[in-house]
Amino acid sequence: MKKKFDKNNFIELNNEFLYQKLEDFLRTEINDETFFIIYNFLQLENFKQGEFEGNQYLIQKMNTKELLIIDIVSEEFVKDHSQTRFKISVSEMIELLDEMRTK
């Protein structure tokens, strides 16, 4: 079943700061040039693992259901990576991208 993105649930599992990172990721990495590249990367279930490196963020596809988003620029300056990376389901990210496309 497709998991629907819930902002409050995301904040509860992570925190408000990481939600801001998610919004920053969507704002800085998703544009006309990258939208379909990232969208197709996420949708391909036969592509179980892999990475997409943007200007500031790295998307690691952990498996067909889960992503790890890493702020690679910020990680250069900190030892504790708990506030520079977060997990989100593939279906939730696809939902967020679909919402961006319809705006």
Side-chain angles (χ1 to χ4, degrees):
M1 181 173 180
K2 184 178 174 182
K3 188 174 183 182
K4 189 164 177 68
F5 182 76
D6 181 329
K7 174 185 174 181
N8 294 327
N9 186 53
F10 182 90
I11 291 170
E12 187 177 309
L13 292 172
N14 297 285
N15 58 47
E16 182 73 37
F17 182 77
L18 289 175
Y19 179 75
Q20 298 302 321
K21 285 280 186 194
L22 171 60
E23 287 188 326
D24 185 59
F25 163 77
L26 294 170
R27 191 174 39 256
T28 59
E29 298 294 348
I30 309 300
N31 57 48
D32 291 340
E33 295 175 19
T34 62
F35 181 88
F36 285 107
I37 295 168
I38 293 171
Y39 195 87
N40 291 334
F41 168 69
L42 298 177
Q43 284 225 269
L44 290 174
E45 288 196 16
N46 61 345
F47 191 50
K48 293 178 176 58
Q49 295 180 319
E51 296 180 342
F52 176 85
E53 187 171 342
N55 293 320
Q56 180 173 346
Y57 292 90
L58 175 72
I59 304 170
Q60 282 186 344
K61 193 171 186 183
M62 309 299 286
N63 53 54
T64 59
K65 298 193 183 325
E66 188 173 44
L67 302 172
L68 180 64
I69 310 291
I70 303 168
D71 182 345
I72 54 178
V73 173
S74 294
E75 285 204 345
E76 293 179 22
F77 303 104
V78 297
K79 290 181 182 178
D80 177 11
H81 296 160
S82 66
Q83 299 302 302
T84 60
R85 46 180 69 196
F86 59 89
K87 291 182 180 177
I88 187 169
S89 75
V90 170
S91 61
E92 289 174 312
M93 183 59 74
I94 288 173
E95 179 185 339
L96 291 171
L97 292 175
D98 283 339
E99 286 178 18
M100 289 178 73
R101 184 170 44 177
T102 59
K103 287 183 180 179

